[in-house]
Amino acid sequence: MEKKESSREIGEERIIALEGTDLDVSESGASEILKYVSQFSRLDGSSRSPATFDGAQTAWTMLSEEKFLPCITTSCLDLDNILGGGIRCREVTEIGGVPGIGKTQIGIQLAVNVQIPIEYGGLGGQAIYIDTEGSFMMERVLQIAEACVEDLSEYGHLRKDAQDSQVKMHPNNVLQNIFYFRVCSYTEQIALVNYLDKFVTEHKSVKIIILDSVTFHFRQEFDDMARRTRLLSEMALKFMKLSKKFGLAVVMLNQVTTKLIDGSFQLALALGDSWSHMCTNRIILYWNSNERFAFIDKSPSLKSASASYSVTSRGIRNSTSSSKRIKMM
Amino acid sequence: MANKLINEMGLPKRMANIFAARNIITAKDALSLTEFELMELLDVGLAEVTSAVAHISEVVCPPCQTALYLMEHRAQHENLAGHLPTRLKGLDDALCGGIPFGALTELVGPAGIGKTQFCLKLSLLASLPPSYGGLDGRVIYIDAESKFSSKRLIEIGIKSFPEIFHKKGMAQEMAGRILILRPTSLSEFTESLHQIKLLILQQQVKLLIIDSMAALALGEESGASRQQALGWHVSFIKSLAEFSRIPVVVTNQVRSQIVDEACLYPFQVAQCHAGKKHNSAGYDSHLVAALGISWAHAVTVRLVLEAKSGQRFIKLSKSPVSPPLAFRFKITSSGIVLLDNIGMELKGSDINTIHFQGQNTLFSFEGEKLQ
């Protein structure tokens, strides 16, 4: 039975081929070997299921991966709740809305929050911020970074056990962990997406890529819409691959356009119908009676829901009216 | 970057020749095709295409900088870390110093509200020497509506900075730094843009003012071609601002809102029909900024000037560094003057609506009614 070891490795088909030939074993002896070996494959509980393809996974193994998917908080509890904890890694999330609603603000908040140390429940990662519109203002990033560091040190004081190992985060460190790219044309945007594989391989701590906005350069220069769709589709696939390969979150900010639906003009996210399919999750930011809301328009795993948020001098936070409601309860 | 030549990128000779043979000369040509299309066009395998595209991408890709480096670099090399102070305290505080460099700032408001006055003051401020808080540079003023008044400019200068302007020859020097162009059509403007770019890069130009973008764009035939043309200009002007790190101020007109104007998403419409209460942003005035929503996305900072109940307001309605704020202002002989240093916070529909009551009254600079 010393052949048993090698048989397990060779695989069951080959055992059948060996039957009665090289091994000089009778047919009944070969079927004994097969039975014995297959018992072992079931017993050792390896994840090698009978019919797997290269690169495929069973839903069961994916479930255990998904359970431990890290999330990046948005600093707004209501928003985190409808997102199931926050912006998820290994997924591409699109966030769109009218000008001034807070897309860049959320982008900057995420670039800061991804850096929250693991001891405080964060990912301790770095961020890549791809700016296509020039809306990334350093003063604002510094404001949000300072507020985050203050909040963390306040939390650190509350956690009396962490006194010794209190992580010293400085706002300048936060800024140092944000890799900034300024893209001035769609060619540069495509080139950058192609280059990111190499970049992230060299900077393994990157846990989020924010693209602000995916729309700007693709809105201005295209006569051939079919070409635009092909290029966008290739770009979305590359981002998807990046997010799966490196286990990071991709957030794409999108602009708004008007569309004729059912005889009336309505708002819709830009870049067309084909684009609307390309991201995993789609969140729309909108105004409703003087408050900002986020609505989950499309997601394979999250329920369609709205949550209000506000943009403060410290960054994205819960909206004040919702905190009032909680107090009243 | 997009126009970099493929044969200068250090690709293996064989690949470079294949690209050239199929008339793919610049990086833009190569990257405007998907990898599959390239495979078909060049008749090479996917692996070769992928590695060629990766090589081209690495060359064309913009450089990476950390946010910290950028902040420190700008603090060291630029005026107030990249801002042009407007001398309106509340506004400057809200904007972390003033009009940002490298970005598009829009001034939108109805006719006669004070946009050109604001632009004149800014031109002066940019030309002043640094000891007076200026940028000590030249200004390019695109005057599409023939509203530039040198007389008014000098008057503002004398009233606001008497110490400088009473010196002999200073008025001439300051006014001499402001270059005025008067294109009469969008195509003329487009031609002059290329010259402007050269001027900016060579001659110490510190501010570009376009008064007004709406006059230039709306002169063209409407529809898709206008959107295209405007889109090209926006891209060009924005990247010009970025490269040269100067502030660009653009004025815009207003138009009446179409009653049927899009303001809801399909899911909101569905909620309305389902009977859920939805407080639609009801506009009680009917003015909005011209040039459309894609323009509204493209500007980085939007300042709305409006008049309500006899009082003029300047609203910071879109800004990456500040919540929406409104300040009362008036126009005096020394230009625009704020009446509040701390702005009122705005929410919801107030932010983008533009009020203009009293359209038929004329106001003098001192705020007295002339009729």
Side-chain angles (χ1 to χ4, degrees):
Chain A
M1 277 305 169
E2 64 287 321
K3 291 289 175 201
K4 160 181 88 207
E5 296 294 336
S6 47
S7 304
R8 238 195 294 157
E9 276 139 43
I10 295 172
E12 297 189 33
E13 309 93 84
R14 301 267 306 267
I15 297 177
I16 300 168
L18 285 169
E19 217 176 322
T21 51
D22 309 302
L23 284 180
D24 207 14
V25 166
S26 67
E27 199 181 304
S28 56
S31 53
E32 279 276 313
I33 297 176
L34 274 175
K35 246 182 21 193
Y36 193 80
V37 169
S38 56
Q39 261 184 350
F40 262 91
S41 335
R42 260 177 274 137
L43 276 180
D44 73 31
S46 69
S47 55
R48 253 210 76 166
S49 25
T52 42
F53 297 89
D54 246 331
Q57 283 176 304
T58 63
W60 183 256
T61 40
M62 279 179 71
L63 177 63
S64 37
E65 272 175 15
E66 280 180 24
K67 270 191 192 160
F68 299 110
L69 257 188
C71 288
I72 302 168
T73 173
T74 58
S75 289
C76 166
L77 186 60
D78 295 334
L79 198 47
D80 279 350
N81 282 341
I82 62 167
L83 289 171
I87 298 288
R88 294 172 168 199
C89 289
R90 304 182 125 246
E91 287 184 2
V92 177
T93 306
E94 179 187 1
I95 302 181
V98 292
I101 191 87
K103 306 184 288 295
T104 302
Q105 303 300 312
I106 292 187
I108 297 178
Q109 186 72 64
L110 291 171
V112 167
N113 286 358
V114 73
Q115 303 180 40
I116 294 176
I118 301 179
E119 297 82 10
Y120 289 79
L123 272 73
Q126 294 176 313
I128 289 179
Y129 199 98
I130 304 174
D131 188 2
T132 65
E133 301 185 351
S135 28
F136 189 75
M137 299 271 155
M138 302 302 152
E139 301 81 6
R140 182 56 172 158
V141 185
L142 191 62
Q143 262 182 350
I144 294 185
E146 283 170 346
C148 182
V149 168
E150 270 173 35
D151 289 345
L152 283 181
S153 60
E154 212 180 280
Y155 177 60
H157 286 130
L158 291 174
R159 274 178 36 165
K160 302 189 180 92
D161 57 316
Q163 284 295 356
D164 306 316
S165 58
Q166 210 171 56
V167 180
K168 292 276 182 232
M169 243 172 104
H170 190 275
N172 279 1
N173 293 343
V174 175
L175 264 69
Q176 199 165 38
N177 287 325
I178 301 178
F179 297 109
Y180 177 80
F181 291 90
R182 174 73 170 99
V183 162
C184 294
S185 67
Y186 76 83
T187 310
E188 283 187 14
Q189 194 167 329
I190 296 174
L192 178 53
V193 179
N194 291 338
Y195 176 64
L196 278 176
D197 190 279
K198 184 167 177 200
F199 187 85
V200 181
T201 312
E202 294 166 1
H203 296 89
K204 282 269 160 63
S205 302
V206 168
K207 286 292 169 213
I208 188 168
I209 298 177
I210 298 151
L211 177 50
D212 178 11
S213 61
V214 62
T215 332
F216 183 67
H217 295 296
F218 283 88
R219 230 174 165 172
Q220 324 286 16
E221 294 181 58
F222 280 87
D223 310 318
D224 183 351
M225 286 298 150
R227 160 162 316 289
R228 187 178 85 166
T229 306
R230 286 197 292 277
L231 288 175
L232 282 171
S233 149
E234 197 183 46
M235 193 178 70
L237 278 173
K238 289 186 178 160
F239 271 122
M240 204 93 69
K241 259 197 214 163
L242 275 172
S243 75
K244 299 272 183 230
K245 178 173 175 186
F246 297 103
L248 44 83
V250 175
V251 173
M252 304 221 235
L253 303 180
N254 195 1
Q255 295 177 355
V256 153
T257 182
T258 52
K259 210 164 136 182
L260 187 58
I261 302 176
D262 290 338
S264 72
F265 281 100
Q266 291 174 18
L267 293 175
L269 294 195
L271 297 179
D273 289 323
S274 358
W275 171 258
S276 59
H277 296 291
M278 294 184 203
C279 294
T280 318
N281 304 306
R282 190 170 232 220
I283 300 174
I284 297 183
L285 306 178
Y286 64 102
W287 281 106
N288 188 357
S289 60
N290 294 351
E291 275 215 83
R292 295 168 210 255
F293 278 82
F295 175 71
I296 300 189
D297 191 48
K298 171 192 151 188
S299 166
S301 52
L302 298 169
K303 201 173 91 160
S304 210
S306 276
S308 69
Y309 68 96
S310 70
V311 181
T312 69
S313 59
R314 301 172 71 78
I316 304 283
R317 294 290 186 271
N318 263 359
S319 81
T320 41
S321 61
S322 84
S323 8
K324 278 188 196 151
R325 264 182 257 132
I326 293 168
K327 280 184 194 159
M328 276 159 55
M329 275 155 43
Chain B
M1 283 284 212
N3 291 325
K4 274 207 167 135
L5 299 174
I6 298 217
N7 52 20
E8 290 174 5
M9 286 187 193
L11 273 175
K13 208 152 181 355
R14 176 175 164 267
M15 280 310 285
N17 289 339
I18 296 179
F19 275 110
R22 293 279 182 270
N23 212 23
I24 299 186
I25 314 286
T26 61
K28 182 172 174 175
D29 298 332
L31 295 176
S32 299
L33 297 169
T34 62
E35 287 179 11
F36 188 75
E37 289 171 331
L38 277 174
M39 215 172 79
E40 282 187 318
L41 182 64
L42 305 175
D43 205 14
V44 291
L46 187 60
E48 283 193 85
V49 164
T50 309
S51 96
V53 166
H55 184 106
I56 297 174
S57 299
E58 192 169 347
V59 173
V60 169
C61 179
C64 171
Q65 291 154 316
T66 63
L68 182 66
Y69 169 80
L70 270 179
M71 188 177 81
E72 292 178 337
H73 178 88
R74 286 176 189 174
Q76 270 184 358
H77 292 105
E78 290 181 356
N79 181 57
L80 281 186
H83 296 276
L84 167 61
T86 60
R87 300 295 183 102
L88 302 172
K89 184 170 188 313
L91 193 59
D92 282 345
D93 287 342
L95 287 174
C96 295
I99 308 277
F101 288 9
L104 220 52
T105 302
E106 179 195 23
L107 277 177
V108 56
I113 193 94
K115 305 188 291 294
T116 304
Q117 301 299 309
F118 196 84
C119 292
L120 289 175
K121 185 89 183 267
L122 282 178
S123 325
L124 261 182
L125 289 169
S127 61
L128 287 180
S131 42
Y132 290 94
L135 299 180
D136 201 25
R138 301 171 68 118
V139 177
I140 294 183
Y141 195 108
I142 313 270
D143 184 20
E145 296 176 330
S146 295
K147 286 209 194 124
F148 189 90
S149 158
S150 321
K151 200 169 129 205
R152 176 63 178 142
L153 180 78
I154 305 288
E155 184 191 357
I156 295 179
I158 294 177
K159 289 281 158 67
S160 322
F161 309 105
E163 339 70 76
I164 313 176
F165 277 80
H166 283 301
K167 278 196 219 154
K168 207 172 140 99
M170 277 310 261
Q172 185 180 8
E173 161 122 23
M174 295 295 119
R177 291 181 178 182
I178 303 175
L179 189 62
I180 297 140
L181 287 169
R182 293 209 156 112
T184 47
S185 70
L186 190 62
S187 33
E188 235 185 273
F189 175 55
T190 313
E191 275 174 40
S192 52
L193 266 179
H194 295 284
Q195 281 183 316
I196 291 171
K197 181 173 172 180
L198 272 172
L199 264 179
I200 290 179
L201 296 173
Q202 292 166 352
Q203 286 192 42
Q204 289 298 313
V205 172
K206 296 292 172 110
L207 173 63
L208 172 63
I209 297 184
I210 302 175
D211 182 14
S212 68
M213 194 69 211
L216 289 169
L218 298 175
E220 299 295 292
E221 36 180 279
S222 65
S225 66
R226 183 207 286 171
Q227 280 299 323
Q228 278 278 54
L230 186 59
W232 180 85
H233 288 87
V234 170
S235 261
F236 189 91
I237 296 172
K238 268 193 132 169
S239 48
L240 191 54
E242 271 294 316
F243 279 135
S244 48
R245 289 294 300 166
I246 58 168
V248 175
V249 177
V250 179
T251 58
N252 190 9
Q253 295 167 358
V254 294
R255 62 166 173 84
S256 354
Q257 187 187 14
I258 309 162
V259 177
D260 206 14
E261 192 110 1
C263 58
L264 295 180
Y265 292 95
F267 71 88
Q268 288 175 298
V269 174
Q271 283 173 355
C272 269
H273 289 156
K276 273 197 191 167
K277 234 179 62 167
H278 174 82
N279 193 336
S280 66
Y283 298 94
D284 41 21
S285 81
H286 294 284
L287 294 178
V288 291
L291 296 180
I293 196 163
S294 122
W295 166 263
H297 275 295
V299 299
T300 313
V301 173
R302 172 172 264 189
L303 291 165
V304 173
L305 284 80
E306 63 174 8
K308 204 158 91 170
S309 345
Q311 182 60 251
R312 298 189 192 208
F313 290 87
I314 179 168
K315 297 195 296 202
L316 181 55
S317 92
K318 178 183 175 190
S319 152
V321 296
S322 142
L325 293 173
F327 303 89
R328 294 176 303 149
F329 76 94
K330 67 176 184 192
I331 304 185
T332 65
S333 53
S334 56
I336 289 195
V337 163
L338 284 188
L339 298 174
D340 309 302
N341 274 335
I342 302 185
M344 277 180 332
E345 272 217 38
L346 299 172
K347 293 209 153 132
S349 54
D350 284 336
I351 299 177
N352 286 308
T353 52
I354 304 179
H355 300 95
F356 194 44
Q357 288 148 7
Q359 261 155 310
N360 296 321
T361 46
L362 285 172
F363 288 89
S364 76
F365 293 135
E366 267 65 46
E368 306 156 25
K369 279 198 204 157
L370 288 178
Q371 290 174 319

